Amino acid sequence: MTARYKVCMLGAFAVGKTSLVRRYVHSIFSDKYLTTVGVKVEKRDVTVGGDTASLVLWDIQGEDDLVSIRESYIRGAHGVLLVADGTRKETLDKALELHERTRKLVGPVPAVILLNKSDLTAEWELDDDHIASLESEGRAILRTSAQTGAGVGEAFDAIARGMHEA
Amino acid sequence: MSAGDTLPTIFSDRLARQAAAELHAAWMLVGKDGRIVNAGGDLEHHEIEDARPGDDAADALPLVVGLDFGATGGELPSMKRGGGGFSDVKVFPVTDGAWLLLLDSSERSKQLRGMQQRAHDLELEMRRRGRDAQEATAAPTLTQVVADLGAAVYSLQPDGRFETVGQAPVWLDDLRRRAPALGVTPDAAELTPFLEGFLDEAREFWADGGGADRLRSGPWIETLPDGVEAPFEATALRLDDGSARLVVQLLGASFEQNRDLLQAARSTRLQFDALLKEIDKKELLLYAIVHDLNGPLSSIVASLSLLKDSQLDRDQAKDLIERGARQANKQLDMIKQILEVFSSDIASMEAFESEADKAPEAAACLRAAVETYRPALQDRGLVLDLSIETGGTAPVVGSPDRLERVLGNLLSNALRHSPAGGTVSVSLHDEGETLRFVVEDEGPGVPPALVDDLFDRFIQGRRSKGLAGLGLDFCRTTVKAWGGEVGYEPREPSGSRFWVRLPKAR
Ligand SMILES: Nc1nc2c(ncn2[C@@H]2O[C@H](COP(=O)(O)OP(=O)(O)O)[C@@H](O)[C@H]2O)c(=O)[nH]1
Ligand SMILES: [Mg+2]
C-alpha cells in the first residue's frame, strides 16, 4: 500500500502557498492574488527512496490579524512547509512562529522553510547571515519561486524525503 | 424519505435555522386550497414574516396567484420584493395540488447561481424519478427542506457507519463522483481527504460525551468535476437524545461576502506596506546625499572664515580661495550628477544616435573623458595607461556628452580608489558587433557583499551608498537605454575592472 502523507502549507497571507501548490500539482502560475479562505486539499504522488507515496497537500489560509489558523486543519500532519515571502521579511518571523505552534500540536514532524519569490531579487529583504544562522540551528531552508518553478520540485521532494525517513 | 421521518423535530428546526442563516433561505408549503400549510426559514429577509398557517398564501406572496408549472415545477428568479431586494423563488409540486416554495437570497455570485441551476435541474429530475417509483403521498418533511437548502445530513449508526438522513442534496452528486462512497458511508476510504481528517476529530467529539453540542470543521474548498471550486463546511452535531449527526453544507453568499472583504483588506495591506518601504528607501537615499553634499560645503565655509582673518598675506588668501573654489566645483559636480541620475529615467527615452555618420566616435569620447581627468590623476601621482585597439573610426550607439559622462564616472571611481602611485588602465576593444570600454585600477576592489547591487541606486536594508551609488546607477541606466551593458569584476591579485559594452552604430 502506498504511504499517504499529510503536508500543511503554513505562512502569512500572500507569501505564495497556493501558488506553490498550483505550480507543483498543476504546473501553472498566475499573477492574480486570490486569497484562500479555509483550506484546499490537493494530492500528488511522488517517488521517495524507491517507494511511491502520496502527498496530500493542505493549502491553508494565511494568517494575519484578521484571521487565525484553525488548529483542526493542522492536526495529523506528517510534515509542514513553512512559507515566507523573501521580499517581506516580517513573513519569515510569522513562519517561525507558526513552526513553534505546529510543533506543540503535532510534535517534531519534518519541516522545511521555503523562502519564496526568489525571482524578485531586486526586492529581496532577507539577510544571508540571518538565514545562515537559522540553518546552523538545524533548520532546513530552501529558496523557491512559484513563478519560475525554481526550487519547487526540490522543496516537495525534500519534505517527502523527510517524512519517508521519519 | 422514510429515514427523514425519524429525524427529531428539535434537530431539524435547529438545522433549518442554521442553514437559513447562511443562505437567507425560507420555505412555504401551500396547500391545494391556496392556504399556507406551514412556513419557515428566514421569512423576514423575504418580507413574508407575517405568513401564518391557514392564511391565504396570495396575501403573503402575490406571486402564487395563478401559479401553474405543471408536474415539474419551475423557477422564478430575481423576484423584486417591496423593500427593494430580490428573491429567487423555486416552486416544487408536492402532493396533488400542493406546492412547496423555496425562497433564496438573490445576492450570490454568478458561479454559485450556475451551480445551483444545474443542481436544481438535477434535483427536479431526481424528484420526478423518485415520485414515479413510489407514488409519494406524504408532504415533505423539514428534513427534506433542509436538504433542499443545500445540506447533507448523516446519522452515525451504532456500528460506526453513517447513514444518509432524508434526501441528499444534488451537489452531493458532484462530490460523490470524486468520493464515490460519500453518499452512503462517509467513513469509507475514498472520502475527500479533508472530510476524512475531520471525521477522525468528529468521532472523538461524539465519543467524549460532555461539553459543546457541535464541532465545526471550518470551511474547505472542493473542485467539482467541471472545474468549479465550491466552499463547504461540515458540522458534527450531538443531539439532545445523545445521537450523532454529521451535516455537510455547501456554503453560500455569506461565505463569499466574507472572502471578498478579506481579499480587499489584504490587497490594501500589501499595497500599503509596499508604499511604506518605497518611502523608507527614498528617505535613506536622501539622507546619504545630504551627507555627501555637506562635506565640500563644510570646507568652503572653513575657507571663507579663514579668509575673514586680515592677517593673511596675498598668497595665503589666494590659496584659500582656490581651495574653496575646488570644493565648490566638487559640490557642483555632485549636484550635476544627482540631477543627471534623477532625469536619466526621462532622458533614457530621449533620442540617441544609432546611425554611423552621426553617432559618437568611441575612441574620441574615451580620449575626451581621459583628458578631463588627466590633471586630477597627475595630482594624485597616478600613472595612466591608455590603449585603443580599434583601427580607424569606431562609431558607437549613444550620445557623445552622455557617453563621456559615463566613462568619466568610471574614471572618477578608479581615481578615488587607487593607491598613490598606482596605475589606472583604460582601454577600448573591438568585439565585432560591439565595442568594450574597460577601466581598471589597483585599489582594494569592491567588497564581495556589495557586488550584487553595485549598480543600484537604491539598496535594501539599513544602508545606502549615497552619491557613490548614484554614479554607477547613472552608468547602468544610460548604457541600458542604448542597448548596452555594464559590468564589474575583481582583478587578481587586487583591484577593480569596470566595463561598458555598446553596440556599434551602422
Ligand atoms: N514574483 C512572484 N510572485 C509570486 C510567487 N509566488 C506567489 N506570487 C504572487 O504572490 C501573490 C500571493 O500568492 P498566493 O499563492 O495567493 O499566496 P498565499 O496567500 O500564500 O496562498 C500572488 O499575486 C502570486 O501571483 C513567486 O514565486 N514569485
Ligand atoms: Mg492561498
Side-chain angles (χ1 to χ4, degrees), chain A residues 13-14 33-35 37-41 56 58 62 64-67 70 72-73 75 87-88 122 124-125, chain B residues 189 193-194 196 201 216-223 229 255 259 262-263 265-267 269-270 273 277 460:
Chain A
F13 70 95
Y33 173 50
L34 260 187
T35 197
V37 172
V39 62
K40 174 107 202 277
V41 183
V56 182
W58 286 53
D64 56 18
D65 30 316
L66 300 172
V67 176
R70 291 178 99 96
S72 61
Y73 289 156
R75 274 201 207 99
T87 70
R88 292 187 291 150
W124 199 253
E125 277 189 354
Chain B
F194 181 88
E196 196 177 335
E201 247 184 278
R216 298 176 72 138
S217 72
W220 90 93
I221 315 282
E222 289 289 344
T223 307
E229 295 198 336
F255 174 85
R259 187 187 52 203
L262 203 59
Q263 169 86 39
R266 286 177 164 169
S267 301
R269 167 72 71 82
L270 284 175
D273 286 351
K277 275 178 192 161
Q460 310 283 332

Side-chain angles (χ1 to χ4, degrees), chain A residues 17-18 34-36 59:
Chain A
K17 298 178 295 297
T18 303
L34 260 187
T35 197
T36 308
D59 173 21

Side-chain angles (χ1 to χ4, degrees), chain B residues 436 438 440 445-446 451 454 487-491 495-499:
Chain B
R436 190 154 95 120
V438 180
E440 295 166 307
V446 179
V451 168
L454 191 57
Y488 163 82
E489 59 222 26
R491 290 175 79 195
S496 300
R497 175 182 298 122
F498 284 91
W499 52 263

Side-chain angles (χ1 to χ4, degrees), chain B residues 364-392:
Chain B
C365 282
L366 185 58
R367 282 204 185 88
V370 165
E371 285 321 306
T372 315
Y373 280 86
R374 196 183 290 277
L377 288 162
Q378 276 164 358
D379 271 1
R380 303 260 336 258
L382 299 174
V383 179
L384 181 78
D385 176 11
L386 175 64
S387 112
I388 293 179
E389 292 178 5
T390 52

Side-chain angles (χ1 to χ4, degrees), chain B residues 85-149:
Chain B
F86 289 88
S87 303
D88 287 342
V89 183
K90 289 173 196 166
V91 185
F92 302 106
V94 274
T95 49
D96 52 356
W99 299 97
L100 173 68
L101 303 172
L102 282 179
L103 294 95
D104 204 339
S105 166
S106 199
E107 284 121 39
R108 59 178 62 196
S109 79
K110 267 193 189 139
Q111 185 183 331
L112 264 177
R113 193 184 289 280
M115 262 180 62
Q116 260 185 340
Q117 176 64 51
R118 227 160 29 82
H120 171 237
D121 293 346
L122 281 164
E123 193 152 350
L124 289 180
E125 175 63 24
M126 274 169 51
R127 252 161 215 283
R128 195 172 43 226
R129 274 192 227 148
R131 216 180 18 249
D132 290 350
Q134 65 175 29
E135 292 279 324
T137 50
T141 61
L142 276 170
T143 315
Q144 198 173 342
V145 173
V146 167
D148 288 336
L149 294 178

